[in-house]
């Protein structure tokens, strides 16, 4: 049999392969330049990954970092935060705080405009806040409405316990004056003004339930406005010509990609499809960290953020109902080894609850009150364990189960800690990963022995960590209920004196650590890659990215 | 024939009902809910949210509401993506998966058939061994490995293609190849073996004896018969490619349907889980259904209604 089909046909197959897909090598930097730049300093689009479609772009509904990352460019609250976490004027030019710390009067700038040209008024803020509290809000009541509960009658209106919208303590007395009445003096209230739930929304939204799902109906008041929104693929925001400080906005736009795979994200960065990779809304594969640190030293960045990684003990069950046993476990690990050999992303060993970066009375809280509450010591730990077991009347500790939600990093840490406990305390430890939802439910129902926890700041004050462990906190999850602790927190709530507040909160922190309901492990650090030339883009104290005043200097 | 089709359709509806019910109860049996978060929301707000979605009602009542909506073809709103209906998520996501799938099917059939013919014609020679080697490789290497390798070499190293996204036609190259490798390898082997069988058949020998040219024998007589098994394989393959592109889509950052299938479960986005499960089920069932019908048309020896044969 002789058929003329050989190597030449193989080549034909290859040709078809390429034809089907229409292959042409392409420009590396495609899409970076904007085209509008007319000679002036090259204006660039900043491209970053947000991993997933934002669940919502409605400030009232938003409760996650991805939404916030986009919203922070679109909207501006009464204040903004600078790189050091200080509150600087935003839509409000200045503000007065009453003697008792319960009344805030904001004076709004007169030149602030919405992206459609309408003026931004105090009424827009009143409308937006009451809207977020509205129990009938569409499509669903705001899950984050409780961020507004500092305001008089806000909780009562939101939960339908009597107060009407008119009774909520926020009032626009004229177009440029907003008066806010609080339940109790809240020293960190100003820092909340740059938080998404406190952003204004344009009044037109009340006529269109689905406004936030559509680029064309999102009217914003911040440095940027909506550009092209490719659902589930990317979102682009472009400078808002009506923004009052538009000359400070130098980027030609920001493009957010929604790529879920961390290896792909890194490849995109390496091939100039992204200008920023990694935290806060992306991820760099953990096994690549070391290599990147040495291969891209100018682009590799680490920034400590105000977040705590910790383990919770179930204090309602044996053996961790015993304080000495809890103490022994938390002293028998080497936090330094974990941050330097396991996680290796610049985390700091934690011996307290409040991370660095959170403001104290005059400077950082952690600088004023160092977290020298205890030291790791394996011999003391063994002794404490023996004492604790004697108190409980047991001679041998049952096997301990350590639970965490499925994640490579959590797994490595759990393995390391389990090994340290085995070695240093001679106890049997097993580790178990659980799917996120299952894990949360088990932890919430105290159906665990030792579990992993993480907590990021909501606002710039130690209270965001301290009141987590009061007996009525929904996030306590340890069964820890201490009257003295609750009293200290209650006193701090009511105090208007900064010094006294800090002292009360530090006493509470010490009490919490002394009784060791939780075992702090490390303070988080954000690792990211940023292309050379981009300036003025930063990660703030709590780990949110601020690109609004970024620029490119090539 | 019609009777057979109706019977098939009836079984499809029954299977869908069973599937929908099983998924519903399994899904509700997983701990957690759509509103869970590391930062627990206050109970009062959570109660409002649950009431809003009817999650505060007893399970049987939720089930009945769900079935009722389903009968009216209403898949509801996503509980995580605000103001987005489940149908629109499926619509936009499926468009990507379908586009990629069609490209991958065209590529795998073309490449597979051609390679199969080459191998058969060069039986026991180098090209045969080589093609079979490629085919074994293609069948054994999972598509995410192919995808990562393509991305690394063609995207990162050679910079021929963008590593992710679907912005212009060149962006389809790598995901299409990644998806096509396995089915192409399978088709190549299928074509080769049936080609070998056909080529030794008597009617081919007759044709050769009559002095017909090799090309005419090959395309007019041999290929027609040899292609039959490939055609029947296309049905299930289509369904597999379209529903199985999850990981390839994730690697190339494509907003296809696959990622929602995983994410909806992690998020306990109940409406989306149900919608997607049913959608995938329908696709698979339709593919099988069409294959069954195709059998009858391609090969007259197969009778759909076996009872008539007695």
């Amino acid at each position: 049999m002789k058929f003329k089909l050989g190597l030449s046909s193989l080549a034909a197959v290859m040709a078809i392969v390429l034809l089907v897909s229409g292959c042409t090598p392409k420009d590396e930097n495609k899409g970076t330049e904007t085209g509008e730049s007319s000679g002036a300093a090259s204006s660039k689009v900043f491209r970053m990954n947000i991993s997933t479609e934002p669940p919502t772009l409605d400030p009232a509904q938003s409760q996650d970092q991805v939404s916030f990352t986009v919203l922070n460019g679109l909207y501006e609250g009464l204040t903004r935060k600078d790189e050091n976490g200080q509150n600087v004027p935003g839509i409000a030019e200045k503000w007065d705080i009453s003697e008792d710390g319960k009344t805030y009067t904001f004076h709004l700038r007169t030149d602030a405009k919405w992206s459609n040209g309408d003026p931004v008024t105090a009424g827009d803020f009143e409308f937006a806040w009451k809207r977020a509290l509205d129990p009938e809000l569409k499509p669903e009541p705001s899950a984050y409405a409780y961020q507004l509960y500092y305001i008089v009658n806000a909780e009562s209106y939101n939960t339908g316990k009597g107060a009407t919208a008119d009774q909520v303590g926020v009032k626009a007395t004229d177009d440029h004056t907003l008066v806010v009445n609080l339940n109790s003096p809240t020293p960190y209230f100003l820092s909340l003004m740059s938080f998404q739930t406190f952003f204004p929304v344009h009044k037109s939204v009340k006529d269109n339930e689905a406004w936030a799902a559509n680029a064309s109906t999102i009217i914003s008041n911040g440095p940027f406005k909506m550009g092209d929104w490719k659902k589930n693929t990317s979102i682009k925001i472009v400078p808002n010509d009506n923004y009052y400080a538009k000359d400070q906005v130098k980027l030609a736009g920001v493009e957010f990609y929604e790529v879920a795979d961390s290896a792909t994200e890194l490849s995109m960065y390496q091939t100039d499809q992204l200008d920023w990779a990694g935290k806060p809304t992306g991820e760099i594969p953990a096994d690549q960290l070391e290599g990147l640190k040495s291969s891209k030293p100018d682009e590799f960045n680490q920034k400590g953020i105000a977040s705590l990684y910790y383990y919770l003990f179930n204090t309602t069950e044996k053996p961790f109902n015993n304080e000495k046993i809890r103490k022994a476990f938390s002293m028998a690990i080497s936090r330094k080894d974990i941050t330097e050999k396991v996680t290796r992303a610049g985390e700091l060993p934690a011996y307290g609850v409040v991370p660095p970066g959170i403001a104290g009375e005059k400077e950082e809280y952690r600088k004023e009150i160092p977290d020298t509450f205890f030291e790791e010591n394996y011999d003391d730990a063994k002794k404490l364990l023996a004492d604790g077991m004697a108190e409980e009347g047991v001679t041998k500790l049952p096997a301990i189960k350590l639970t965490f939600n499925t994640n490579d990093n959590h797994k490595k840490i759990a393995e390391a800690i389990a090994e340290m406990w085995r070695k240093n305390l001679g106890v049997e430890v097993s580790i178990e990963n659980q799917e996120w939802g299952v894990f949360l439910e088990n932890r919430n129902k105290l159906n665990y022995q030792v579990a992993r926890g993480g907590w990021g700041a909501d606002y710039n004050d130690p209270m965001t960590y301290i009141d987590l462990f009061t007996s009525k906190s929904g996030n306590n999850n340890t069964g820890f209920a201490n009257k003295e602790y609750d009293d200290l927190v209650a006193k701090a709530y009511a105090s208007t004196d900064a010094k006294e507040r800090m002292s009360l909160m530090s006493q509470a922190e010490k009490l919490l650590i002394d009784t060791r309901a939780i075992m702090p492990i490390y303070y988080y650090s954000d690792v990211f890659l940023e292309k050379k030339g981009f300036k003025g883009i930063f990660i703030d104290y709590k780990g949110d990215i601020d690109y609004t005043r970024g620029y490119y200097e090539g | 024939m019609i009777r057979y089709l109706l019977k098939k359709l009836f079984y499809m509806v029954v299977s869908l009902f069973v599937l929908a019910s099983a998924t519903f109860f399994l899904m509700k049996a997983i701990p957690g809910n759509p509103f869970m978060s590391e930062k627990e929301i206050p109970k009062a707000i959570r109660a409002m949210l649950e009431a809003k979605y009817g999650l505060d009602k007893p399970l049987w009542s939720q089930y009945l509401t769900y079935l009722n909506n389903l009968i009216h073809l209403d898949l509801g709103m996503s509980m995580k993506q605000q103001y987005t209906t489940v149908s629109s998520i499926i619509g936009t996501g499926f468009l990507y998966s379908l586009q990629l799938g069609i490209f991958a099917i065209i590529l795998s059939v073309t490449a597979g058939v051609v390679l199969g013919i080459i191998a058969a014609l060069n039986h026991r020679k180098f090209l045969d061994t080589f093609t079979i080697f490629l085919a074994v490789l293609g069948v054994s290497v999972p598509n995410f490995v192919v995808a990562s390798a393509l991305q690394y070499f063609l995207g990162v190293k050679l910079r021929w293609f963008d590593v992710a996204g679907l912005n212009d036609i060149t962006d389809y190259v790598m995901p299409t190849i990644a998806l096509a490798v396995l089915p192409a390898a399978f088709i190549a082997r299928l074509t080769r073996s049936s080609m070998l069988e056909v080529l030794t058949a008597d009617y081919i020998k007759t044709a050769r004896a009559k002095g017909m040219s090799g090309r005419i024998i090959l395309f007019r007589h041999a290929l027609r018969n040899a292609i039959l098994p490939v055609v029947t394989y296309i049905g299930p393959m289509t369904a597999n490619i379209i529903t199985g592109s999850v990981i390839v889509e994730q690697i190339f950052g494509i907003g296809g349907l696959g990622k929602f299938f995983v994410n909806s479960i992690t998020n306990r986005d109940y409406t989306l889980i149900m919608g997607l499960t049913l959608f995938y089920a329908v696709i698979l069932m339709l593919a099988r259904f069409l294959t069954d019908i195709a059998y009858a048309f391609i090969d007259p020896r197969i009778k759909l209604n076996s009872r008539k044969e007695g």
Side-chain angles (χ1 to χ4, degrees), chain A residues 3 13 21 26 28 30 53 55-56 61 138-140 146 209 264 270 273 435 441 443 454 456 458 475, chain B residues 32 38-40 42 48-49 52-53 81-83 96 114 121 159 162-164 170 173 214 251 260 268:
Chain A
F3 296 104
V13 176
S21 30
K26 63 170 53 174
E28 279 174 26
K30 150 188 114 113
E53 178 91 350
T56 178
Q61 299 280 6
K138 296 288 184 308
E140 60 185 41
Y146 65 92
E209 277 181 23
T264 305
Q270 285 167 334
Q273 270 185 280
E435 193 266 350
E441 180 137 329
R443 200 178 73 181
D458 278 330
N475 287 297
Chain B
E38 179 124 37
K39 293 190 178 175
E40 177 92 341
M48 284 196 285
L49 284 166
K52 159 81 199 169
Y53 289 104
Q81 289 284 316
Q82 289 205 327
Y83 293 106
Y96 289 116
V114 175
L121 296 185
R159 306 267 180 120
D162 279 351
V163 292
T170 56
V173 178
I251 290 174
F260 294 105
R268 307 286 192 274

Side-chain angles (χ1 to χ4, degrees), chain B residues 229-240:
Chain B
V230 176
V231 175
T232 54
Y233 170 64
I234 290 179
M237 178 186 84
T238 308
N240 279 341

Side-chain angles (χ1 to χ4, degrees), chain B residues 104-143:
Chain B
I105 290 162
I106 296 176
L107 178 63
S108 55
V109 172
T110 329
V113 169
V114 175
L115 284 174
I117 295 174
I118 295 174
L121 296 185
N122 297 284
H123 192 41
R124 303 248 163 104
K125 292 198 199 118
F126 169 73
L127 272 177
D128 184 23
T129 327
F130 182 65
T131 316
I132 288 311
F133 169 73
L134 281 187
V136 170
L137 202 68
V139 173
S140 7
V141 179
N143 62 11

Side-chain angles (χ1 to χ4, degrees), chain A residues 51-209:
Chain A
S51 300
T52 166
E53 178 91 350
T56 178
L57 286 180
D58 178 349
Q61 299 280 6
S62 154
Q63 45 170 331
D64 64 294
Q65 202 161 26
V66 169
S67 305
F68 183 68
T69 300
V70 180
L71 287 173
N72 199 27
L74 294 175
Y75 292 90
E76 185 168 297
L78 291 166
T79 65
R80 298 196 309 117
K81 271 200 190 59
D82 68 6
E83 193 155 357
N84 305 316
Q86 297 300 311
N87 301 307
V88 293
I91 297 296
E93 248 170 351
K94 51 187 178 15
W95 44 85
D96 311 312
I97 304 168
S98 66
E99 278 287 296
D100 63 359
K102 294 210 272 196
T103 306
Y104 282 66
T105 310
F106 293 94
H107 303 283
L108 275 63
R109 57 172 64 246
T110 49
D111 54 351
K113 289 201 187 84
W114 291 96
S115 52
N116 67 351
D118 292 351
V120 178
T121 64
D124 293 333
F125 282 90
E126 182 186 340
F127 167 71
W129 296 3
K130 286 183 176 168
R131 178 177 172 271
L133 288 169
D134 184 354
E136 300 294 322
L137 181 63
K138 296 288 184 308
E140 60 185 41
S142 163
Y144 243 30
Y146 65 92
Q147 300 288 348
L148 295 156
Y149 284 2
Y150 304 100
I151 301 168
V152 167
N153 282 331
E155 181 168 4
S156 162
Y157 169 52
N158 181 235
T159 53
K161 295 219 179 76
T164 62
D166 287 338
Q167 291 170 311
V168 176
V170 51
K171 196 109 228 125
T173 51
D174 63 52
D175 272 359
H176 302 290
T177 314
L178 187 74
V179 181
V180 186
N181 294 305
L182 306 182
N183 291 321
S184 57
T186 311
Y188 48 87
F189 187 67
L190 265 188
S191 90
L192 289 168
M193 293 302 100
S194 48
F195 194 69
Q196 68 252 45
T197 325
F198 288 87
F199 284 160
V201 289
H202 192 266
K203 283 189 176 126
S204 68
V205 309
K206 63 168 174 269
D207 306 320
N208 178 7
E209 277 181 23

Side-chain angles (χ1 to χ4, degrees), chain B residues 168-239:
Chain B
D168 55 56
I169 188 76
T170 56
D171 294 336
Y172 285 87
V173 178
M174 296 194 292
T176 304
I177 298 178
L179 282 177
V181 165
L182 192 144
F186 195 82
I187 290 177
R189 296 205 319 188
L190 215 57
T191 312
R192 176 182 174 270
S193 58
S194 79
M195 204 56 187
L196 284 177
E197 200 182 301
V198 171
L199 284 177
T200 52
D202 289 344
Y203 70 95
I204 298 286
K205 285 180 186 154
T206 317
R208 278 189 60 230
K210 286 199 306 188
M212 287 174 100
S213 86
R215 203 162 296 235
I216 292 180
I217 296 178
L218 177 65
F219 289 107
R220 193 170 293 169
H221 302 283
L223 194 54
R224 266 202 195 172
N225 283 305
I227 207 86
L228 267 177
V230 176
V231 175
T232 54
Y233 170 64
I234 290 179
M237 178 186 84
T238 308

